[in-house]
Amino acid sequence: MELTEDQLKVAEIELQRYLPQSLKIYGFLVLRNRVKSDPYIVLVDRWPKFSVIICKPQYEQKTDLFKDTMVFANDEAILMETIRKASVIDWSRYLCLGISLPHMEIVKAGASERNVPSDKLAVCHMMTLDDASKLPPVDWSGICLNSLDESHLDLVNQTWTFGKNQGAAGMIRNMVLNFPSCCVLDADGRPVSWILTYVSCALGMLYTLPEHRGKGYAKVLISSMAKRLSGQGYPVFCFIEEENIASYQLFKSMGFSEDPSYREAWYGFNDF
């Protein structure tokens, strides 16, 4: 069933029972219930005590296929039963889906039943900051901070690992216009380092132009955004790809921690 606006607020509270495993969907609802964003449909297997919750974008144009479908489940059998329903997952189109790594095997099995191919996009550590007041001190002197705006979209898209295409540009536009972001500006007012907030409320797309690295900008941005999100009542967390050791060590040095047994996975399905 699809949740109403009032039910989304109740679901946000219910998901707190399953933190931190439910953090991605919980963070999505925290943002969704407070700020404007691109339209998503939120489905559950039953109400009010749901076992599976799926947040999927409304596909209004071709570039929307780039947006994530996000899933949380606490019952594997109900997860399989739910994803088998054509009204829940349209296996005939491309799908980018994020879920915990063990549950991804169930999703892949469901896709295999329909001969739908899958491709691993990323497997990530989920790192959280429980208390922003305990962030290590950073030197902000002489650094000009601001939020990103629409004029910066091309720059962010061209430097993001999964960017350089129209679908990514649409997703980044939604993030910049609707969610918290922060950037370091040079003397001419141009961004040289930045960090954004995903639709799940996770911090991401942290990047510094090569010629400006080694100046501590990343730590300043992480600290600034963590304090801003925490001050607004948002969870503070991020996903770091397993092979990105430098970013893992950076966030760890800023006080972020993880459950070492937990991984979040993103796969693409039906990539024609």
Side-chain angles (χ1 to χ4, degrees):
M1 62 170 287
E2 181 177 350
L3 298 187
T4 65
E5 293 295 321
D6 288 339
Q7 288 170 333
L8 289 173
K9 295 179 175 62
V10 177
E12 176 188 325
I13 297 171
E14 178 68 13
L15 284 167
Q16 292 178 1
R17 298 174 52 202
Y18 303 102
L19 292 172
Q21 286 76 15
S22 64
L23 188 52
K24 183 175 60 179
I25 306 296
Y26 171 72
F28 167 81
L29 290 182
V30 169
L31 272 182
R32 168 67 177 76
N33 290 333
R34 289 160 180 79
V35 301
K36 177 184 176 183
S37 178
D38 284 355
Y40 266 73
I41 297 170
V42 181
L43 305 172
V44 293
D45 60 303
R46 59 186 175 183
W47 186 259
K49 297 297 181 182
F50 53 86
S51 296
V52 177
I53 182 166
I54 298 176
C55 307
K56 64 178 187 177
Q58 292 186 21
Y59 298 110
E60 298 176 342
Q61 52 190 354
K62 186 176 180 180
T63 54
D64 287 341
L65 297 177
F66 198 86
K67 299 173 184 174
D68 290 358
T69 293
M70 298 170 287
V71 182
F72 169 74
N74 58 33
D75 187 297
E76 295 183 353
I78 296 177
L79 173 60
M80 177 60 89
E81 177 186 329
T82 302
I83 65 172
R84 281 174 169 159
K85 297 177 180 177
S87 60
V88 175
I89 300 293
D90 182 359
W91 294 105
S92 68
R93 69 168 86 212
Y94 177 74
L95 174 70
C96 177
L97 188 143
I99 194 172
S100 68
L101 186 56
H103 287 161
M104 183 59 79
E105 295 305 313
I106 296 172
V107 176
K108 288 167 61 181
S112 181
E113 291 178 354
R114 294 161 179 78
N115 297 315
V116 173
S118 62
D119 179 46
K120 183 177 77 171
L121 302 176
V123 176
C124 299
H125 304 273
M126 182 174 71
M127 306 192 72
T128 62
L129 183 69
D130 296 327
D131 188 351
S133 69
K134 295 182 180 179
L135 282 161
V138 294
D139 183 8
W140 298 26
S141 58
I143 296 177
C144 179
L145 296 179
N146 207 338
S147 296
L148 292 166
D149 62 41
E150 197 163 5
S151 68
H152 306 139
L153 297 181
D154 286 344
L155 178 62
V156 176
N157 188 30
Q158 291 300 314
T159 54
W160 186 42
T161 304
F162 301 102
K164 304 180 180 66
N165 64 72
Q166 195 173 15
M171 187 185 78
I172 292 169
R173 183 178 187 276
N174 178 53
M175 293 165 65
V176 168
L177 295 184
N178 299 316
F179 306 146
S181 67
C182 190
C183 65
V184 175
L185 301 177
D186 65 11
D188 296 318
R190 296 173 300 197
V192 297
S193 185
W194 54 83
I195 190 170
L196 286 78
T197 307
Y198 285 107
V199 69
S200 64
C201 202
L203 293 173
M205 296 193 192
L206 176 63
Y207 187 83
T208 301
L209 296 176
E211 62 271 27
H212 291 276
R213 291 174 185 170
K215 301 177 181 178
Y217 290 163
K219 289 185 177 181
V220 170
L221 291 173
I222 293 170
S223 181
S224 175
M225 281 287 283
K227 291 176 180 177
R228 179 178 173 186
L229 291 173
S230 178
Q232 294 176 351
Y234 298 149
V236 182
F237 68 105
C238 64
F239 294 104
I240 305 293
E241 294 175 67
E242 286 186 318
E243 59 271 23
N244 194 341
I245 298 173
S247 287
Y248 179 86
Q249 294 296 340
L250 171 63
F251 278 87
K252 189 175 180 180
S253 73
M254 295 297 292
F256 285 70
S257 61
E258 66 162 336
D259 175 352
S261 67
Y262 184 84
R263 292 291 185 275
E264 193 79 12
W266 279 263
Y267 272 66
F269 296 88
N270 238 339
D271 190 3
F272 299 109

